[in-house]
Amino acid sequence: MARAVTTRRKTLTTLAAWGIALLIFFPILWMILTSFKTEQDAVLSPPVWFWFDWTTENYVTVMDRANYFRFFMNSVIIAIGSTALGLLIAIPAAWSMAFVPGAKTKDLLMWMLSTKMMPGVAVLVPIYLIFIKLKLLDTHFGLIIVIMLINLPIIIWMLYTYFKEIPGEILEAARMDGATLRSEILYVLLPMAIPGIASTVLLNIILAWNEAFWTITLTTVDAAPLTKFISSFSSPQGLFYAKLSAASTMAIAPILIMGWFSQKQLVRGLTFGAVK
Amino acid sequence: MSTQASRSAARVMLSPAVISLLIWMIVPLVLTLWFSFQRYNLLYPDRAGFVGFYNYTTFVASPDFIQAIINTLLLVAGVLLITVIGGILLALLIDQPIWGQGYVRILVIAPFFIMPPVAALVWKNMFMNPTNGLFAEAFKALGLTPFDFLGDAPLISIIIIVAWQWLPFATLILLTALQSLSSEEIEAAEMDGAPAHKRFWFIILPHLSRAITVVILIQTIFLLGVLVEILVTTNGGPGTASTTLTFLVYKQSILNSDVGKAAAGGVVAVILANIVAVFLMRAIGKNLDA
């Protein structure tokens, strides 16, 4: 809705928008600022804003103790593992629904979506018991499977809406030229689908990284990711504000950056194509 | 256009997704149903057996349950109210011609990418803490007694935290919908002398109605499952003041090891979620035809 407006009005709306945006962002900014304070400065009353002795000591301390690196790596393993496995299952499924639609395709898509509506608590008990039985509790493999499954409907839907936009004629032309199914997918479909797949990957990594229900309930120590690590500081024993802020900043930084790059795709993925 | 060969190939390619989702949905649900009719406590494994609706009656009859249902509804309604109204206003504001729109978007969307425990702990320790949180400092600066947010108003505090996490989602989706509104339509109305509030009620809001529906339904699905924010801030308390249905089931299973009763609670949660899901599926399904 780009329309001609007076400079005065534009200045006022700009100020209002920036003011509110900074207010919304403020808790994150405050956390980042606190991560560079000493523990004494962090709880100073009245609070200090920018003029304190900046220190990176908290980051060093956090990385030294509490096996921070292991939690971080667990997050990486679970996010990447579940995304890779999810793609492996979702790409063929989305491909066949987009290019060989049958009478039941729509119902199938809706059914896949409906699995996403199942509340986690409803199946927490059986999953927990199954995990104990199969010795999957607190393992990377178990978590990768669960996180992959809860995000699978979103991956399939997202890929489906992207694949739908690829003109089918191109695929037919390739088929006419004698391309096998395998080469059709590898050399014709994939190159055209790469942007869509890339944004799907990005969104899925974000969702997997931030997933906190299953990662917290199904891990104890060995496979515990950052979500579990951070929530263990619900009462501030040992680790205080500045160090907690440093640990938190490191936990959110990679995802925040990825998220900013994927804003547009986020809408499509999270509304199942209902809002584009 | 599709040949028999590509059809059967399609079926083969679909099967891993269908089978894995089918197992993921059926097996735990059947087990939950089964457990919900059993006496089954992990602490007393020998005292097991069929108990009929006993788990349901005790789960539903407990005063915690009523409180949990009320809290769940308040949490969902409160967060929806804040995020939808705030999201509409914010989207309208950002959609105006402003300098640095891209940066404003980046700042506004940021809370959505913060993992739940980080968001909850930052609010709990650095803002709502009654001794040295920023809110307490602000109260002191104004000469007021600091307010113990999580102690005295736990549910409202949690609503504030969760709304902060979801406001970006609502804003982003409503903004996307807003940007698909043709400027001609607005300009025509403007030319005809329609004042701003009429343009909002009769053109903008109807155009946003679909996006608002989607926001409400998707958020409800996620809000019904809010757990971590409660777990790290109030742990459901004080008492049961901030215990939701999800938290109650979590407590029964993980903390009390009462599998039977937790399963009964799980079935109640499924019913609750399904009521919402039916409407959501209808809204999304409509779009699939278009």
Side-chain angles (χ1 to χ4, degrees):
Chain A
M1 286 204 290
R3 280 168 295 145
V5 288
T6 59
T7 313
R8 206 178 92 91
R9 184 163 163 209
K10 193 171 172 179
T11 310
L12 286 178
T13 40
T14 300
L15 282 177
W18 273 93
I20 294 174
L22 285 172
L23 204 64
I24 291 175
F25 188 72
F26 182 73
I28 300 168
L29 180 69
W30 188 245
M31 177 189 82
I32 297 172
L33 284 176
T34 306
S35 74
F36 290 106
K37 292 176 182 171
T38 58
E39 293 295 353
Q40 288 76 23
D41 281 347
V43 291
L44 222 54
S45 170
V48 277
W49 297 87
F50 295 100
W51 295 271
F52 51 85
D53 292 325
W54 289 64
T55 170
T56 52
E57 200 185 309
N58 300 311
Y59 288 90
V60 178
T61 319
V62 168
M63 284 202 268
D64 273 355
R65 42 177 234 207
N67 297 322
Y68 185 86
F69 187 69
R70 205 189 61 211
F71 291 104
F72 191 90
M73 279 321 288
N74 284 341
S75 277
V76 172
I77 291 169
I78 292 164
I80 291 180
S82 69
T83 304
L85 190 61
L87 278 184
L88 210 62
I89 296 175
I91 289 179
W95 181 89
S96 66
M97 284 193 285
F99 296 112
V100 199
K104 291 264 160 59
T105 298
K106 193 192 154 182
D107 293 335
L108 201 57
L109 272 167
M110 294 310 284
W111 169 74
M112 286 179 175
L113 185 57
S114 75
T115 65
K116 186 82 193 132
M117 321 266 158
M118 188 174 59
V121 277
V123 291
L124 174 62
V125 177
I127 297 290
Y128 191 76
L129 295 178
I130 292 171
F131 265 52
I132 293 177
K133 272 259 153 43
L134 299 180
K135 303 228 184 315
L136 285 174
L137 209 62
D138 205 18
T139 63
H140 293 129
F141 182 70
L143 271 182
I144 285 174
I145 298 279
V146 167
I147 306 289
M148 183 277 284
L149 284 168
I150 59 165
N151 288 331
L152 189 59
I154 294 184
I155 307 189
I156 293 178
W157 264 81
M158 234 176 135
L159 288 174
Y160 172 78
T161 58
Y162 280 115
F163 286 177
K164 265 291 214 214
E165 285 165 13
I166 297 172
E169 294 81 35
I170 296 180
L171 295 183
E172 257 174 74
R175 223 172 292 158
M176 297 283 204
D177 292 342
T180 60
L181 188 65
R182 194 173 148 269
S183 54
E184 182 186 321
I185 292 180
L186 273 183
Y187 301 114
V188 185
L189 183 70
L190 272 186
M192 277 193 291
I194 289 289
I197 293 176
S199 18
T200 309
V201 166
L202 219 52
L203 177 67
N204 198 65
I205 289 178
I206 294 170
L207 290 177
W209 187 276
N210 287 345
E211 205 290 323
F213 181 84
W214 293 107
T215 48
I216 286 175
T217 48
L218 295 179
T219 61
T220 46
V221 192
D222 291 342
L226 288 167
T227 44
K228 181 87 175 186
F229 173 67
I230 301 287
S231 40
S232 66
F233 297 104
S234 52
S235 50
Q237 351 86 325
L239 201 70
F240 288 102
Y241 292 2
K243 283 180 208 78
L244 178 63
S245 294
S248 299
T249 303
M250 282 192 282
I252 62 162
I255 288 314
L256 201 55
I257 292 163
M258 286 168 89
W260 282 336
F261 281 112
S262 66
Q263 291 179 53
K264 278 272 173 199
Q265 290 73 32
L266 196 79
V267 175
R268 187 200 285 246
L270 287 174
T271 61
F272 306 99
V275 175
K276 270 184 217 170
Chain B
M1 106 181 192
S2 45
T3 61
Q4 194 59 47
S6 71
R7 234 169 229 304
S8 55
R11 209 162 296 149
V12 171
M13 290 194 289
L14 257 175
S15 50
V18 173
I19 292 170
S20 56
L21 281 176
L22 202 63
I23 295 173
W24 168 243
M25 194 159 96
I26 303 282
V27 173
L29 263 186
V30 168
L31 281 173
T32 298
L33 261 178
W34 170 254
F35 291 144
S36 74
F37 293 108
Q38 304 285 320
R39 181 201 299 273
Y40 187 2
N41 192 315
L42 292 178
L43 302 179
Y44 316 100
D46 44 320
R47 275 199 272 154
F50 183 78
V51 288
F53 283 93
Y54 174 79
N55 288 321
Y56 288 92
T57 47
T58 47
F59 185 81
V60 171
S62 81
D64 292 3
F65 173 73
I66 304 295
Q67 175 88 53
I69 291 286
I70 293 171
N71 285 344
T72 306
L73 295 178
L74 284 175
L75 175 75
V76 172
V79 174
L80 282 179
L81 209 67
I82 297 173
T83 53
V84 171
I85 294 176
I88 292 174
L89 295 176
L90 205 53
L92 281 172
L93 183 64
I94 299 177
D95 194 41
Q96 303 290 315
I98 53 169
W99 284 291
Q101 196 190 47
Y103 296 105
V104 168
R105 271 177 71 128
I106 281 182
L107 292 179
V108 169
I109 190 71
F112 189 71
F113 301 119
I114 308 302
M115 57 173 65
V118 168
L121 284 181
V122 166
W123 279 94
K124 178 191 181 182
N125 290 324
M126 279 138 68
F127 285 87
M128 292 172 169
N129 187 307
T131 51
N132 49 20
L134 272 190
F135 289 155
E137 294 295 342
F139 273 70
K140 275 188 251 173
L142 294 171
L144 302 164
T145 330
F147 182 70
D148 184 1
F149 281 86
L150 287 160
D152 293 336
L155 196 61
I156 292 172
S157 304
I158 290 170
I159 289 175
I160 293 173
I161 298 172
V162 178
W164 178 74
Q165 291 178 289
W166 284 94
L167 181 63
F169 174 79
T171 307
L172 190 66
I173 284 170
L174 294 169
L175 185 62
T176 310
L178 206 55
Q179 282 167 343
S180 70
L181 181 64
S182 74
S183 57
E184 284 96 41
E185 216 174 320
I186 294 283
E187 270 161 33
E190 225 167 316
M191 227 96 88
D192 291 341
H197 71 273
K198 284 210 167 143
R199 292 202 297 272
F200 174 75
W201 284 111
F202 296 110
I203 299 174
I204 296 175
L205 207 58
H207 176 80
L208 288 183
S209 63
R210 258 189 59 79
I212 293 173
T213 314
V214 171
V215 166
I216 290 177
L217 294 170
I218 291 178
Q219 279 201 37
T220 307
I221 296 286
F222 282 96
L223 293 178
L224 285 174
V226 163
L227 174 77
V228 180
E229 290 83 347
I230 301 173
L231 196 63
V232 301
T233 52
T234 63
N235 211 3
T240 55
S242 58
T243 294
T244 61
L245 183 60
T246 299
F247 189 82
L248 192 61
V249 176
Y250 168 80
K251 204 162 75 174
Q252 291 291 358
S253 54
I254 302 289
L255 303 183
N256 299 352
S257 302
D258 192 340
V259 171
K261 210 187 266 183
V267 174
V268 175
V270 171
I271 295 168
L272 207 65
N274 268 319
I275 298 170
V276 185
V278 168
F279 289 103
L280 176 57
M281 305 289 277
R282 212 173 283 167
I284 290 172
K286 229 179 250 163
N287 191 62
L288 211 56
D289 298 324

